[in-house]
Amino acid sequence: MQSEDRIIHFAAELIHKPRPNKKEDLQRLYFELSQSGPASYDNTDFSFLQQVRFQSRRGAKSQSIALFLPDRLLIVEEWADIAMSDFLEKVRTVGEKAMQARGIDAYLAHTATVRSTFALTHFDDARVFLLDHACGQEGRLAPHFSRPISVGGLRLVFPETADSPGSFQVNIESFRHSRNEVFVEAKGVFSQPRIAPGEIGTVLQHIKDVRHFVSNSVFNYLNQFDKPQFQDG
């Protein structure tokens, strides 16, 4: 399997005590971010004050979003075309400036999500690779469902332990947009520690931990199955 995966999505969710969205505060924040380079956005949407959106679009699919809800902030890169280092800097800048602008004393919990795809080396169909080969379901599905499968895979949940902070939810599926790629989504949920002003580095480290989990643990798990297939005769 190709060791370099293709990251298509970053997201961080910063949860805080409920606070009303004030238009003037968020307009001021938007202006401050516009002066910050990588953390700036091209436009805003204040049409629904309970879900204020800062957004940038690039090309056909790539977009950057900051979504402000009464009890949380979501920072998202969809069909990501930026490096992880740039995303981390965006989370740092937007997360810290949002605390100041909205009078948030701490983020009470946070999540980090990474989605990426791995290209297979010895299989041309990720459904066959995952369902028949990795999960041992060859010949066991069709007799019961009698319908073709467009996407298949497995879901794993890893609880928090003393040595591994945060619970991890992992989806591994065939990628619907490319026949020979495996889609991976890993989401880390962190209920501690509280993130006070100046401490957002902890959130950045947890994003790195989720990324490392994908590029190491998930890769090594999948790679053990992507071996040449030999036929008798």
Side-chain angles (χ1 to χ4, degrees):
M1 193 165 68
Q2 302 299 311
S3 59
E4 290 293 329
D5 58 340
R6 177 168 62 104
I7 298 177
I8 59 176
H9 176 98
F10 293 116
E13 181 181 34
L14 308 176
I15 301 168
H16 52 77
K17 293 179 182 178
R19 296 186 64 84
N21 281 341
K22 296 182 179 180
K23 186 173 183 178
E24 58 272 19
D25 292 341
L26 292 174
Q27 287 176 323
R28 188 181 312 113
L29 173 61
Y30 178 76
F31 175 76
E32 291 179 1
L33 293 176
S34 71
Q35 310 300 305
S36 65
S40 62
Y41 294 88
D42 293 340
N43 55 69
T44 62
D45 183 354
F46 285 91
S47 58
F48 183 36
L49 196 55
Q50 296 303 304
Q51 295 185 8
V52 173
R53 179 185 295 251
F54 298 173
Q55 186 169 347
S56 298
R57 291 184 179 273
R58 298 175 301 279
K61 296 188 293 186
S62 298
Q63 57 181 321
S64 303
I65 300 169
L67 184 64
F68 299 88
L69 303 173
D71 66 343
R72 68 196 61 202
L73 162 62
L74 281 79
I75 305 169
V76 180
E77 293 293 321
E78 192 65 71
W79 293 104
D81 62 354
I82 66 173
M84 182 174 175
S85 58
D86 292 331
F87 177 69
L88 293 175
E89 185 58 34
K90 182 170 288 190
V91 172
R92 179 193 301 277
T93 302
V94 178
E96 289 181 342
K97 288 186 177 297
M99 293 183 89
Q100 300 169 6
R102 302 188 63 202
I104 298 169
D105 58 358
Y107 293 122
L108 307 179
H110 57 278
T111 72
T113 302
V114 174
R115 296 175 186 159
S116 69
T117 68
F118 287 97
L120 297 170
T121 300
H122 301 288
F123 289 80
D124 60 8
D125 191 326
R127 294 168 300 178
V128 173
F129 169 75
L130 285 172
L131 295 177
D132 293 356
H133 193 60
C135 297
Q137 296 299 299
E138 184 175 5
R140 298 173 183 268
L141 295 169
H144 301 284
F145 296 105
S146 302
R147 298 185 66 175
I149 297 173
S150 61
V151 175
L154 63 158
R155 181 173 185 265
L156 305 170
V157 177
F158 301 90
E160 183 172 19
T161 69
D163 297 325
S164 301
S167 63
F168 281 27
Q169 305 167 15
V170 181
N171 292 321
I172 303 172
E173 303 174 351
S174 54
F175 189 40
R176 69 184 63 202
H177 300 289
S178 178
R179 183 182 174 89
N180 76 321
E181 289 183 80
V182 176
F183 168 83
V184 175
E185 177 186 76
K187 180 178 182 178
V189 180
F190 305 90
S191 59
Q192 56 182 347
R194 290 165 52 102
I195 306 301
E199 297 177 352
I200 204 161
T202 299
V203 175
L204 307 186
Q205 182 57 54
H206 287 162
I207 297 172
K208 294 178 184 178
D209 291 343
V210 174
R211 171 62 181 140
H212 184 268
F213 188 84
V214 172
S215 59
N216 288 268
S217 298
V218 176
F219 169 78
N220 289 330
Y221 168 72
L222 293 173
N223 193 49
Q224 68 181 326
F225 301 110
D226 191 10
K227 306 298 181 184
Q229 301 299 295
F230 300 99
Q231 296 181 346
D232 295 334

